[in-house]
Amino acid sequence: MSDMSRIKTFNLPDLGEGLTEGEILTWLVKVGDIIELNQPIVEVETAKAAVEIPAKWAGQVQAIHHPEGTTVEVGAPIIAIDTDPGAGPLDAPSTTATPSGDLPTPSAASLAAVEVAPAEGMVEPGLIGGAAPGGRTAVLVGYGPRTTSAKRRPRKGGVPAQAPTLAVDHGVVVGDKHPSTPIIPAPQVHDRRGGATGGLVLAKPPVRKLAKDLGVDLATLTGSGPLGAITREDVQQAANGATVVAEPITATATSAASFGADREQRIPVKGVRKLTAENMSRSAFTAPHVTEFLTVDVTRAMKALERLRNRREWRDVRVSPLLLVAKAVLLAVKRHPMVNSTWAGDEIVVKEYVNLGIAAATERGLIVPNVKDAGRLSLRELADSLTDLVQTAKSGRTSPADMSGGTLTITNVGVFGVDTGTPILPPGESAILAFGAVREMPWVHKGKVKVRQVTTLGLSFDHRIIDGELGSKFLRDIGDFLADPEAALLAWT
């Protein structure tokens, strides 16, 4: 087999839905490794997801074209693979990274021996051609939804911001408000004996006089006072023969009095967090939001959940208040289908299916996976789907397919001990429900004040689609179900 047919270059594939680039997060292989078909070779992060990309060929890694942290455009070569390493050495040496991190330019012979893979279509979640070695499955790992095209991220290695200048004037440290201002060197400070210290000595006049009388050189002392100032005790200790080690006063010694970059943390905005910011900003300033609130006595619902947990066929099922809230939303949508719709400019698209989104906080940011066609599921099927959705999100294995196509969302802020909120609509949706914490509170029940279990619901909706009457009726139906789920089921089904 010739070198031309042996060496194949794998280009970064189209990872779905119009994305144009991705950032190399982690290389799972290195030059010289023997790999198998469908073995995960690299993890790439896009604005939608972090993706493990599997190998299209078995063989030996000959070159890695981009180091970790690099943003690569779709279609650019990322790795070269020798598909027949047993045929002997290649004519041209493999391309490896230099110690400085730069990749050398390949020779003409090596370029001639490279066969570029044809353009690829979308990589679907799951396998490409079969199971990966060792039982591992190359999957798309999702961390957030996206409805806008990706933009190029700035490459790493930019010039860091200059630390602020700390100027000293008569023992007072002042933080420079302009980090770009050149650093002002500390002035020579002369003590009262007439000699230059060569550094900064902070001491009050009485302390200087005491040091002069006792024959103590202030420049050899380390101050224990504010901002490193030398005190009478420091001078007396030195005069008594105690060892005092002099240390230069630097910006870090006065950090408690500074308010600059040395006490700030800068976190790059990219990936899921950048996408969330773009989506929330676009939604907040595009769809006119209205939020209504309803406080509900859910004591009967909590008792119904407990009875459900005690049933034999439900003992291995995770039953939480979120399950009843989800069921309440689905039943209320059937009664008010306009809530489950999308604004499409010159028309409103009312959807007969409900892809119920559940907002989830992950290490990479907020994601909203959804249960597909949740309105057709039984209560048991809905419980299993919610459990799988939450566990998958917490493990960071949510696929992009699970985060696309949402029609209506629930955000369970109650798990953080919050009573309610004013949630922002996910782009393309017309309603989102905030479910607050369930608390024991005094409540008028049957004419008497009793301790009851109470929660507060917050419904945000797109006022272009949902007017006040419709939004209020929808929220009221959700509250009615949670107040007495058994009666609501009998009345509505």
Side-chain angles (χ1 to χ4, degrees):
M1 181 182 291
S2 67
D3 287 351
M4 180 177 295
S5 58
R6 285 175 55 182
I7 302 298
K8 296 185 183 293
T9 294
F10 182 50
N11 298 337
L12 181 65
D14 179 0
L15 301 173
E17 300 189 34
L19 295 176
T20 60
E21 64 183 11
E23 179 183 345
I24 303 293
L25 285 182
T26 307
W27 280 106
L28 307 177
V29 297
K30 61 182 181 297
V31 173
D33 283 358
I34 300 297
I35 61 176
E36 299 182 28
L37 178 66
N38 285 322
Q39 176 179 336
I41 56 176
V42 64
E43 185 178 16
V44 176
E45 183 180 36
T46 69
K48 289 175 175 282
V51 181
E52 280 188 358
I53 298 179
K56 291 186 61 178
W57 306 282
Q60 185 178 41
V61 177
Q62 289 297 306
I64 291 176
H65 297 304
H66 300 280
E68 294 176 359
T70 303
T71 300
V72 183
E73 294 182 355
V74 170
I78 58 174
I79 190 171
I81 301 173
D82 180 1
T83 58
D84 190 14
L90 297 167
D91 294 337
S94 62
T95 302
T96 57
T98 62
S100 64
D102 298 329
L103 296 175
T105 303
S107 64
S110 64
L111 288 175
V114 172
E115 178 183 342
V116 180
E120 298 295 329
M122 180 184 298
V123 176
E124 296 295 336
L127 298 178
I128 299 180
R136 185 174 181 179
T137 301
V139 297
L140 298 181
V141 186
Y143 297 101
R146 180 172 178 87
T147 58
T148 61
S149 60
K151 297 181 180 178
R152 190 167 184 80
R153 300 182 180 86
R155 295 182 184 273
K156 293 186 178 179
V159 179
Q162 185 176 354
T165 302
L166 294 178
V168 180
D169 184 13
H170 300 292
V172 179
V173 180
V174 183
D176 188 351
K177 295 182 180 180
H178 305 283
S180 60
T181 305
I183 297 177
I184 303 173
Q188 293 282 342
V189 179
H190 295 264
D191 62 19
R192 294 197 174 187
R193 294 173 294 169
T197 65
L200 179 64
V201 176
L202 298 179
K204 295 179 180 180
V207 176
R208 292 181 180 274
K209 184 178 184 304
L210 176 64
K212 183 178 180 180
D213 293 342
L214 297 178
V216 175
D217 185 359
L218 293 177
T220 65
L221 303 185
T222 301
S224 61
L227 302 180
I230 297 174
T231 64
R232 294 180 63 89
E233 290 74 15
D234 296 331
V235 175
Q236 291 170 347
Q237 185 180 15
N240 293 332
T243 302
V244 179
V245 180
E247 295 181 1
I249 297 179
T250 62
T252 56
T254 61
S255 60
S258 67
F259 301 96
D262 58 326
R263 297 177 66 194
E264 298 174 349
Q265 181 183 12
R266 294 180 179 269
I267 301 174
V269 179
K270 61 180 183 178
V272 175
R273 193 162 299 279
K274 182 177 181 180
L275 169 67
T276 301
E278 292 174 353
N279 283 344
M280 294 299 97
S281 297
R282 187 175 69 256
S283 177
F285 295 103
T286 300
H289 284 56
V290 173
T291 304
E292 295 184 338
F293 305 97
L294 179 65
T295 303
V296 184
D297 177 4
V298 295
T299 305
R300 289 182 178 178
M302 297 302 102
K303 291 180 179 179
L305 277 181
E306 191 61 32
R307 291 195 299 271
L308 192 62
R309 293 188 186 104
N310 292 332
R311 294 185 65 87
R312 184 177 57 218
E313 61 269 27
W314 281 79
R315 288 177 183 173
D316 60 341
V317 180
R318 178 179 174 80
V319 179
S320 69
L322 179 62
L323 174 61
L324 286 188
V325 174
K327 187 64 177 179
V329 168
L330 294 171
L331 289 175
V333 166
K334 289 183 178 180
R335 292 166 58 82
H336 310 284
M338 182 66 75
V339 171
N340 188 50
S341 57
T342 298
W343 181 267
D346 56 352
E347 61 183 1
I348 297 173
V349 181
V350 182
K351 300 173 181 178
E352 298 180 358
Y353 56 90
V354 180
N355 292 340
L356 185 63
I358 304 296
T362 70
E363 292 182 358
R364 289 182 178 266
L366 176 69
I367 67 172
V368 188
N370 59 79
V371 178
K372 298 293 190 286
D373 214 356
R376 294 191 175 186
L377 301 180
S378 66
L379 189 63
R380 173 62 183 265
E381 292 170 336
L382 182 61
D384 292 339
S385 296
L386 291 175
T387 299
D388 292 342
L389 180 147
V390 172
Q391 291 179 347
T392 302
K394 287 182 178 180
S395 66
R397 309 301 296 182
T398 303
S399 70
D402 289 337
M403 293 182 288
S404 62
T407 64
L408 197 150
T409 295
I410 299 172
T411 175
N412 186 10
V413 297
V415 297
F416 306 110
V418 175
D419 290 331
T420 190
T422 56
I424 297 177
L425 293 168
E429 299 183 20
S430 62
I432 178 172
L433 180 75
F435 173 40
V438 177
R439 304 182 185 277
E440 289 188 342
M441 298 180 63
W443 191 266
V444 177
H445 178 67
K446 296 181 179 180
K448 297 181 180 180
V449 177
K450 297 183 178 180
V451 176
R452 306 285 287 180
Q453 291 179 288
V454 177
T455 190
T456 300
L457 307 173
L459 177 71
S460 292
F461 53 85
D462 186 343
H463 212 357
R464 296 173 300 181
I465 302 173
I466 303 172
D467 57 25
E469 180 185 12
L470 176 59
S472 299
K473 288 182 176 179
F474 179 72
L475 182 59
R476 179 71 266 175
D477 279 358
I478 295 173
D480 286 346
F481 180 90
L482 295 177
D484 193 345
E486 291 147 324
L489 284 172
L490 291 174
W492 299 347
T493 60

